[in-house]
C-alpha cells in the first residue's frame, strides 16, 4: 500500500493564489521537502488563481520526481489550470 501525503494549498498560501515575490521558492521547497513520493495537492477553499501562479505550479510539478495530483480544484478554476498547461506545452498527467 502506498503512502500518500495531502497538502492543502489554501493553508500554505491563501484562498487567492497569485504570484508573489517568494511564493515560487516556498512552493517548490514545500513540495520537495515532503518525504513522500506521492502527493495530493488539495485546492479546497481556493477562490481564485492567477494564470501565472498556475504556470509556476505546473512547472514545479513537472520538474519534480514525485507523483503530484490535484483534488478539489473548483470548477471555475479548471480553465485557468488548462490555459496554463496549454501555454507551457507540458503533457497532461
Amino acid at each position: 500500500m502506498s503512502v500518500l501525503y495531502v497538502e492543502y494549498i489554501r493553508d500554505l498560501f491563501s484562498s487567492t493564489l497569485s504570484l508573489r515575490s517568494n511564493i515560487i521558492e516556498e512552493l517548490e521547497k514545500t513540495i520537495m521537502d515532503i518525504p513522500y513520493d506521492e502527493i495530493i495537492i488539495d485546492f479546497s477553499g481556493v477562490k481564485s488563481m492567477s494564470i501565472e501562479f498556475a504556470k509556476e505550479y505546473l512547472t514545479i510539478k513537472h520538474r519534480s520526481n514525485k507523483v503530484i495530483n490535484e483534488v478539489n480544484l473548483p470548477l471555475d478554476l479548471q480553465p485557468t489550470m488548462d490555459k496554463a498547461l496549454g501555454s507551457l506545452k507540458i503533457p497532461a498527467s
Side-chain angles (χ1 to χ4, degrees):
M1 181 176 168
S2 290
V3 176
L4 298 175
Y5 184 87
V6 177
E7 186 67 65
Y8 292 87
I9 202 154
R10 179 195 69 228
D11 294 343
L12 280 176
F13 302 110
S14 74
S15 64
T16 56
L17 302 174
S18 62
L19 204 54
R20 295 186 303 274
S21 60
N22 65 342
I23 202 167
I24 300 312
E25 293 85 15
E26 189 174 340
L27 178 61
E28 187 163 25
K29 182 176 176 357
T30 298
I31 288 173
M32 297 307 174
D33 285 352
I34 293 172
Y36 299 102
D37 293 330
E38 194 163 351
I39 303 168
I40 294 174
I41 303 293
D42 193 323
F43 282 81
S44 296
V46 173
K47 296 179 187 210
S48 66
M49 176 173 45
S50 71
I51 290 177
E52 293 80 13
F53 179 91
K55 284 180 183 179
E56 291 298 334
Y57 166 78
L58 292 169
T59 299
I60 292 167
K61 175 182 174 178
H62 183 69
R63 278 196 318 246
S64 171
N65 293 331
K66 300 173 188 255
V67 174
I68 302 172
N69 296 295
E70 298 80 29
V71 297
N72 300 320
L73 183 68
L75 290 176
D76 61 327
L77 297 181
Q78 187 62 53
T80 302
M81 195 70 87
D82 292 343
K83 186 173 183 180
L85 182 61
S87 71
L88 292 172
K89 309 292 187 248
I90 295 173
S93 55

